[in-house]
Amino acid sequence: MRVLVLNAGSSSLKAQYLEVGGEVAFDLTIERIGEDAPDAPADHAAAVEQVLAVVDERGLPVPDAVGHRVVHGGPDLTAPTVVDDEALAAIEAVVPLAPLHNPANLAGIRAARAAFADVPHVAVFDTAFHATLPPAAHRYAVPTAWFSDHGVRRYGFHGISHAYVARRAAEVLGRPQEELRLVTAHLGNGQSVCAVDRGRSVDTSMGFGPLEGLVMGTRSGDVDPTVVFHLVREEGMALDEVETALNRRSGLLGLAGSNDLRDVESRAADGDEGARLALDVMVHRLVGYVAAYATRMGGLDGLVFTAGIGEHSALVRRRVGDGLALLGVRVDPAANDAVDGEARIDAGDGPAVLVVPTDEEGEIARQVAETVG
């Protein structure tokens, strides 16, 4: 089955045309949509036309289906969904939960439906994998009306990536997912961990939005809400200013002055105290979450690293392994330093430790194929 996967951002469109379980025919990123720049597409419709032109230029058949990554499905859109007018309205209804992402996702869907009118379109939600979170994990201890009337709960994100690497890790280990207690660590500029208990997400570090949890490139992760009250009331900062700082000027950037971990690691090795602190805080938070999730599942069969940092930082993987020694986690130094793609890097006498490059487009295509048959 040939699937065109589209991931629409506010000013970008990523497209991948692939056969499910087979070759990728092309991988294309179109940027600066709507900007006043030479050759920039005027809107998402123009960007989709560029994708259609590539399909024609390469002599590829019209795809059998088009899959769309949608960041937020809210409490009701918890499975891949064939896009019709009703589904579009449902995605539109949860825009307040993801105001920076879902509008762009919708623009991409509408443009693609116009360009590829005769094939099914399927929305795959980043939040859907976490629909299995039990109430103890997804509820906040806030007034019940906030939950029932305003949807305030933990939704979790990076679900497409967590779903893929958990399934792939089971394949690498040669064991069914139904036997495994895994913690998957999606570590990039955005970061989250997920407790995958026998194939089901039972806890995850991102919450109502993608700000909660781990220390990220520019996001703070967990912060006492009292900090916000203090800055607004006592220091006179505007609420929007605090929100922007927590999302865009915090994390590694806030502590070390750079959100590029490669730069942070290099400066830390040279003795830069801010960079060392940033690494210490990031690893401290990460180790704490993994240990808590292992306890929650009653044990740990495997720890899986993925995404840019997870796949490429031997230092972070080693330090996380050292921090989890009490759980029997042991990272083999030689295997860890030699990682180039998919690898198993544990010493062999405790929980498995793996590096699995994520494949969100392939996962979307697989779910699209299962949905439309």
Side-chain angles (χ1 to χ4, degrees), residues 95-141:
V95 163
L97 298 178
L100 300 179
H101 298 94
N102 273 32
N105 301 155
L106 283 164
I109 291 172
R110 291 187 174 111
R113 289 183 80 201
F116 299 94
D118 298 325
V119 302
H121 292 250
V122 178
V124 179
F125 302 95
D126 227 9
T127 51
F129 184 60
H130 306 301
T132 53
L133 295 181
H138 78 238
R139 288 292 295 272
Y140 292 115

Side-chain angles (χ1 to χ4, degrees), residues 313-325:
S313 177
L315 175 63
V316 168
R317 295 191 299 262
R318 175 180 61 79
R319 290 191 58 179
V320 171
D322 290 346
L324 296 168

Side-chain angles (χ1 to χ4, degrees), residues 7-370:
N7 181 358
S10 58
S11 61
S12 66
L13 180 70
K14 297 179 181 179
Q16 191 175 101
Y17 183 110
L18 67 160
E19 285 195 26
V20 177
E23 295 294 321
V24 175
F26 71 80
D27 194 333
L28 176 68
T29 299
I30 300 170
E31 298 179 321
R32 310 187 75 175
I33 296 173
E35 296 183 11
D36 184 15
D39 301 322
D43 52 26
H44 284 82
V48 170
E49 286 297 327
Q50 289 187 19
V51 174
L52 184 58
V54 173
V55 173
D56 290 339
E57 288 167 7
R58 303 200 179 188
L60 298 169
V62 172
D64 299 309
V66 180
H68 299 270
R69 177 177 179 259
V70 179
V71 167
H72 215 307
D76 299 321
L77 296 169
T78 59
T81 302
V82 175
V83 177
D84 54 18
D85 292 343
E86 183 179 351
L88 279 175
I91 297 170
E92 186 87 52
V94 296
V95 163
L97 298 178
L100 300 179
H101 298 94
N102 273 32
N105 301 155
L106 283 164
I109 291 172
R110 291 187 174 111
R113 289 183 80 201
F116 299 94
D118 298 325
V119 302
H121 292 250
V122 178
V124 179
F125 302 95
D126 227 9
T127 51
F129 184 60
H130 306 301
T132 53
L133 295 181
H138 78 238
R139 288 292 295 272
Y140 292 115
V142 296
T144 300
W146 291 15
F147 170 74
S148 58
D149 298 345
H150 307 296
V152 175
R153 53 159 288 176
R154 181 183 305 279
Y155 291 100
F157 299 89
H158 294 144
I160 297 167
S161 176
H162 287 299
Y164 171 78
V165 298
R167 190 179 69 256
R168 180 58 192 155
E171 293 170 353
V172 172
L173 295 174
R175 297 175 62 186
Q177 280 200 83
E178 293 73 21
E179 293 181 359
L180 295 171
R181 297 159 298 180
L182 303 174
V183 173
T184 52
H186 179 105
L187 309 178
N189 194 50
Q191 299 191 22
S192 67
V193 286
C194 181
V196 186
D197 191 0
R198 298 165 180 86
R200 294 163 59 87
S201 171
V202 297
D203 213 339
T204 190
S205 58
M206 284 182 169
F208 180 75
L211 183 59
E212 187 179 3
L214 303 179
V215 174
M216 306 177 220
T218 65
R219 297 182 192 135
S220 64
D222 293 339
V223 169
D224 182 349
T226 307
V227 172
V228 178
F229 309 150
H230 171 76
L231 293 172
V232 172
R233 290 174 178 164
E234 304 300 327
E235 305 300 329
M237 292 179 67
L239 188 59
D240 287 350
E241 184 181 359
V242 178
E243 182 180 27
T244 298
L246 291 175
N247 276 292
R248 300 182 182 178
R249 299 202 299 271
S250 297
L252 296 177
L253 180 64
L255 291 171
S258 173
N259 65 321
D260 188 328
L261 186 73
R262 293 166 297 186
D263 179 46
V264 174
E265 287 186 1
S266 175
R267 286 168 44 203
D270 291 337
D272 185 294
E273 289 303 319
R276 285 181 174 176
L277 176 64
L279 276 171
D280 289 346
V281 174
M282 187 185 84
V283 171
H284 175 85
R285 187 82 54 86
L286 180 53
V287 167
Y289 266 96
V290 176
Y293 288 176
T295 302
R296 216 152 285 170
M297 293 186 292
L300 181 68
D301 297 306
L303 171 61
V304 191
F305 292 97
T306 194
I309 293 171
E311 294 169 28
H312 300 294
S313 177
L315 175 63
V316 168
R317 295 191 299 262
R318 175 180 61 79
R319 290 191 58 179
V320 171
D322 290 346
L324 296 168
L326 187 65
L327 298 178
V329 174
R330 291 182 59 214
V331 172
D332 179 86
N336 184 43
D337 290 342
V339 167
D340 182 17
E342 190 173 270
R344 182 168 178 176
I345 61 171
D346 58 273
D349 55 354
V353 183
L354 301 99
V355 178
V356 176
T358 193
D359 183 8
E360 292 174 293
E361 290 78 13
E363 177 65 18
I364 290 170
R366 185 189 69 82
Q367 294 190 30
V368 169
E370 288 183 355

